[in-house]
Amino acid sequence: MDDIDRRLVSLLADNSRISLHELSKKVFLSPPAVSSRIEKLEKSGVIKGYSLRLDLEKLGYSFVAYIELTMEPEQKEKFVDFISENPSVLECYHIAGAYSMLMKVCFDSSSKLYDFVGKLQKFGKTQTQIIFTNIIEARNPRP
Amino acid sequence: MDDIDRRLVSLLADNSRISLHELSKKVFLSPPAVSSRIEKLEKSGVIKGYSLRLDLEKLGYSFVAYIELTMEPEQKEKFVDFISENPSVLECYHIAGAYSMLMKVCFDSSSKLYDFVGKLQKFGKTQTQIIFTNIIEARNPRP
DNA sequence: GATGAAACAGCCGAGCT
DNA sequence: AGCTCGGCTGTTTCATC
């Protein structure tokens, strides 16, 4: 993991469909060299996959929110099962402090968000923060 | 934007490097048809770009946190300038309720996170939530 | 890690349904 | 009009140095 790898990660994070040829010009290496570096980054798990930047609103998800849930530790297993099955949960993190989870969720109506929060209440105490606008969207750390 | 488009988005979100041939098999269309649909999704802005799923810890960022900042509205412009210039801020949302921002940040040391939070205090009151583990990572809404 | 050649995928146009 | 099939171009991959 050297500076060239970091630059490759940064370039791919920006546009993961860039060709090896373009990449090779930018990092002053040959395409096969770039290819083998990317392969190593994938195998080592630095690159976990190739994804999209989506416009959730244009996809019909007008209600995007972060929800913090504070619960008793013994609830965890049932909670993880619950959210794993629930595609409205886009991200979920176990955070420090009181036993808490932070989730990013998306819904196409406020009533569905309301219903979801209601179901979460069974696991613990929630605090919901609805997103108004994206100031900075999912960018990646600098090389 | 029909069910096939939603399925294409879902498949691409899972692996944006999948070939048109593979996609066409999965949605039972021809590769050119898939290609033109993807082009439309890009032009309409549903697909904003092609990115990576990265392991921040393996990239050296052991301290990933969400920080909520509550501030006076007149601070906004200076705040946006500040975070725009700061690559440690991965995401930033304007959230409902008291005039608040929610940021995802990453650092390679706790002292750098501490310094950053210190700088944020100039804009308002902060609440920092450090991520222990990822329960569900950045997946995309179901088709 | 570089080079060159071969395999492959993506793109465009023609013909078909 | 839209899909499928063909050839062409650009991209990736492999063997060799």
Side-chain angles (χ1 to χ4, degrees):
Chain A
M1 187 70 189
D2 58 9
D3 281 350
I4 293 177
D5 281 344
R6 271 181 280 272
R7 187 147 164 66
L8 286 175
V9 166
S10 173
L11 289 162
L12 284 167
D14 217 48
N15 171 22
S16 61
R17 290 204 139 185
I18 188 173
S19 74
L20 293 178
H21 183 234
E22 283 297 318
L23 281 173
S24 66
K25 281 195 293 185
K26 287 177 197 285
V27 301
F28 305 104
L29 284 177
S30 67
V34 170
S35 176
S36 89
R37 277 171 178 268
I38 292 174
E39 215 170 293
K40 278 177 195 157
L41 289 166
E42 290 168 354
K43 288 217 175 109
S44 69
V46 173
I47 295 175
K48 292 189 286 188
Y50 297 88
S51 188
L52 299 178
R53 278 188 295 276
L54 289 175
D55 188 319
L56 289 176
E57 190 150 6
K58 286 189 177 151
L59 264 175
Y61 297 102
S62 299
F63 298 85
V64 185
Y66 276 90
I67 305 176
E68 187 180 340
L69 171 68
T70 304
M71 61 186 183
E72 298 302 317
E74 54 266 27
Q75 294 284 324
K76 184 187 174 186
E77 204 180 326
K78 275 161 68 183
F79 168 74
V80 172
D81 288 348
F82 172 68
I83 58 165
S84 297
E85 296 302 314
N86 198 318
S88 299
V89 179
L90 303 178
E91 304 171 26
C92 180
Y93 308 98
H94 184 179
I95 58 178
Y99 201 89
S100 293
M101 299 288 178
L102 184 64
M103 283 162 271
K104 185 177 187 178
V105 297
C106 71
F107 293 93
D108 57 8
S109 72
S110 61
S111 62
K112 284 182 189 164
L113 170 57
Y114 180 80
D115 288 350
F116 179 78
V117 173
K119 286 178 190 161
L120 284 182
Q121 312 282 5
K122 288 173 191 161
F123 297 101
K125 199 161 170 286
T126 63
Q127 196 187 342
T128 303
Q129 293 163 324
I130 291 182
I131 296 175
F132 274 157
T133 58
N134 289 5
I135 310 283
I136 289 179
E137 343 231 345
R139 66 183 177 189
N140 287 278
R142 213 179 358 219
Chain B
M1 189 67 189
D2 57 11
D3 282 349
I4 293 178
D5 280 344
R6 273 182 279 273
R7 183 142 167 69
L8 286 175
V9 166
S10 174
L11 289 163
L12 283 167
D14 214 50
N15 171 22
S16 61
R17 290 202 138 187
I18 188 172
S19 72
L20 292 179
H21 182 233
E22 283 296 317
L23 280 174
S24 66
K25 281 195 293 184
K26 287 177 197 285
V27 300
F28 305 103
L29 283 178
S30 67
V34 170
S35 175
S36 87
R37 276 170 180 268
I38 293 174
E39 214 170 294
K40 277 176 196 157
L41 288 166
E42 289 168 353
K43 285 213 176 115
S44 68
V46 173
I47 294 176
K48 291 190 287 188
Y50 296 87
S51 189
L52 299 179
R53 279 186 297 273
L54 289 174
D55 188 319
L56 290 175
E57 189 150 8
K58 286 190 176 149
L59 264 174
Y61 298 101
S62 299
F63 298 85
V64 185
Y66 276 90
I67 306 176
E68 186 178 342
L69 171 67
T70 305
M71 62 186 184
E72 298 302 317
E74 54 266 26
Q75 293 284 326
K76 184 187 174 186
E77 206 181 323
K78 276 162 66 183
F79 168 74
V80 171
D81 287 349
F82 171 68
I83 58 166
S84 297
E85 296 302 313
N86 198 317
S88 299
V89 179
L90 304 178
E91 305 171 27
C92 180
Y93 307 98
H94 184 181
I95 57 178
Y99 201 89
S100 293
M101 299 287 178
L102 183 65
M103 282 162 270
K104 185 178 187 178
V105 297
C106 71
F107 293 93
D108 57 8
S109 72
S110 60
S111 62
K112 284 182 188 163
L113 170 57
Y114 180 80
D115 288 351
F116 179 79
V117 173
K119 285 178 190 159
L120 284 183
Q121 314 280 5
K122 288 173 191 160
F123 297 101
K125 197 162 170 286
T126 63
Q127 196 187 343
T128 303
Q129 293 163 323
I130 292 181
I131 295 176
F132 275 156
T133 58
N134 290 4
I135 309 282
I136 289 180
E137 351 227 342
R139 66 183 176 188
N140 287 280
R142 212 174 7 214

